[in-house]
Amino acid sequence: MGYGLGEAYEHGMLDVGDGNRVHWEVSGNPGGTPALVVHGGPGAGSGAGVRRLFDPARYRIVQFDQRGCGRSTPHAADPATDMRHNTTAHLLADMELLRAHLGIDRWLLFGDSWGSTLGLAYAQRHPERVSAIVLVGVTMSRRSEIDWLYRGVGRFFPEQWRRFADAVPAADRPTVEPGQGPAGDLLAAYARLLEHPDARVRHRAANAWLAWEDAVVSLEPQGRPGVYSDRPSDARLAFVRICAHYFSHGAWLDDDALLRDAGRLAGIPGVLVHGRLDLGSPLETPWSLARAWPDAELIVVADSGHTGSDALRGHLRAALDRFAPPPPGGELRLAPARRAGDATGSDGSYPVRGGSSVTEGGRCE
């Protein structure tokens, strides 16, 4: 269920410097409320399915593929692609370039998983450019979160985690166990494997990483088996290479920075939608954020994990509908499809601190 997918009526490749060109596209109503979709991963790419959450009569929906993935170039599946120019700071600059290129003054940010980290970082840097924020599967990519996802949660899946760790050759494998030792060295070892000149080594590492990601979400009652590994070969390689690159560097964010600086979001309304059964990204993260962000509401969905559920998607549609008024007459103004030229440049609820609220979401009918 949801809104129709619609077709993009405008798209292009934005030259963001360093030899990178970022693919973007726009769908929905050209006169609607601008919204930027910030995809997860990092490195997952932006898919058309997310459009089902947005009323196309209300929103001008902007999507882009972050550096190195999707239809952006160069692609991280290519071992020759230089990853030095792919950091959180680069992505934040790319988002601002895209906003200016499209002539948008302020936009709503929609972020999923890693996209919530990136969206929060953007909003804290450019609060004057953000009208509202809707986040799902909320992360802030703190060291503790990364360590939990790639080591701590292994306490629930010791056999699968052991396979994940043992996929790193013994000579390069750090001393780490599910209950002890930080995950950072293990992630750095994976990052090195994804730079290996032998394609077979890179593919084995990507397969092992994705098998671990699948294991973490395998207990979710509304989930789909193999949700991470079920993607084309190049997309698998790019996803894992970018994930390992970012998370082995703590996403180039000062630890706890996004929580520490949540006060910068004052005046920006936000909705955080999170599955109570999200084992890889525990509820503590959005709970802490909602307490620190004066204008945020946290909706906890009982039947959902990180991969979502019908109930969770219903709450997302309701949140998005809240932030965009329907057009006069409720009619969708369509624009002819065109390809833009390239651009150069760079809720019962109970209160928590800050006036926010936490809602226990039920199943949407």
Side-chain angles (χ1 to χ4, degrees), residues 271-274 297-301 315 322 347 357 359-361:
V271 177
L272 315 176
V273 183
H274 203 87
E297 174 189 1
L298 171 60
I299 299 174
V300 182
V301 186
H315 284 291
R322 184 194 312 178
D347 160 194
S357 63
T359 300
E360 189 70 25

Side-chain angles (χ1 to χ4, degrees), residues 114-136:
W114 157 256
S116 55
T117 291
L118 190 59
L120 287 166
Y122 176 89
Q124 291 182 10
R125 181 174 294 192
H126 304 286
E128 75 283 358
R129 297 303 183 186
V130 181
S131 60
I133 303 174
V134 177
L135 304 179
V136 59

Side-chain angles (χ1 to χ4, degrees), residues 116-169:
S116 55
T117 291
L118 190 59
L120 287 166
Y122 176 89
Q124 291 182 10
R125 181 174 294 192
H126 304 286
E128 75 283 358
R129 297 303 183 186
V130 181
S131 60
I133 303 174
V134 177
L135 304 179
V136 59
V138 183
T139 70
M140 291 187 284
S141 299
R142 295 172 292 178
R143 304 303 191 277
S144 59
E145 295 175 49
I146 296 170
D147 185 66
W148 172 258
L149 178 58
Y150 295 106
R151 183 196 60 85
V153 76
R155 296 179 180 185
F156 294 92
F157 306 98
E159 182 180 358
Q160 294 90 336
W161 186 86
R162 190 72 264 167
R163 287 197 291 266
F164 173 56
D166 287 352
V168 175

Side-chain angles (χ1 to χ4, degrees), residues 232-244:
S233 177
D234 279 358
R236 292 161 60 93
L237 283 170
F239 176 86
V240 176
R241 188 181 182 196
I242 296 171
C243 277

Side-chain angles (χ1 to χ4, degrees), residues 16-22 43 66-87 90-91 191-197 202 234 237-239 241-242 245-246:
V16 295
D18 309 311
N20 282 269
R21 290 159 64 83
V22 168
Q66 295 160 29
R67 292 191 185 203
C69 68
R71 287 169 283 183
S72 293
T73 61
H75 202 268
D78 182 350
T81 297
D82 189 347
M83 299 296 287
R84 292 177 302 168
H85 304 301
N86 195 335
T87 71
H90 287 97
L91 301 187
R192 291 189 292 271
L193 289 176
L194 270 296
E195 301 294 329
H196 199 282
R202 299 196 302 274
D234 279 358
L237 283 170
F239 176 86
R241 188 181 182 196
I242 296 171
H245 175 61
Y246 272 71

Side-chain angles (χ1 to χ4, degrees), residues 63-116:
Q63 296 178 256
F64 75 108
D65 292 319
Q66 295 160 29
R67 292 191 185 203
C69 68
R71 287 169 283 183
S72 293
T73 61
H75 202 268
D78 182 350
T81 297
D82 189 347
M83 299 296 287
R84 292 177 302 168
H85 304 301
N86 195 335
T87 71
T88 301
H90 287 97
L91 301 187
L92 295 175
D94 296 349
M95 291 162 70
E96 259 300 271
L97 280 173
L98 180 57
R99 182 197 61 76
H101 173 62
L102 296 176
I104 294 172
D105 181 41
R106 300 167 74 229
W107 48 13
L108 174 145
L109 299 180
F110 176 87
D112 182 3
S113 191
W114 157 256
S116 55

Side-chain angles (χ1 to χ4, degrees), residues 185-220:
D185 291 344
L186 180 61
L187 302 184
Y190 262 96
R192 291 189 292 271
L193 289 176
L194 270 296
E195 301 294 329
H196 199 282
D198 189 334
R200 294 170 299 180
V201 172
R202 299 196 302 274
H203 280 278
R204 282 197 299 265
N207 291 341
W209 182 292
L210 293 167
W212 171 246
E213 298 273 8
D214 284 339
V216 174
V217 299
S218 62
L219 302 182
E220 297 186 6

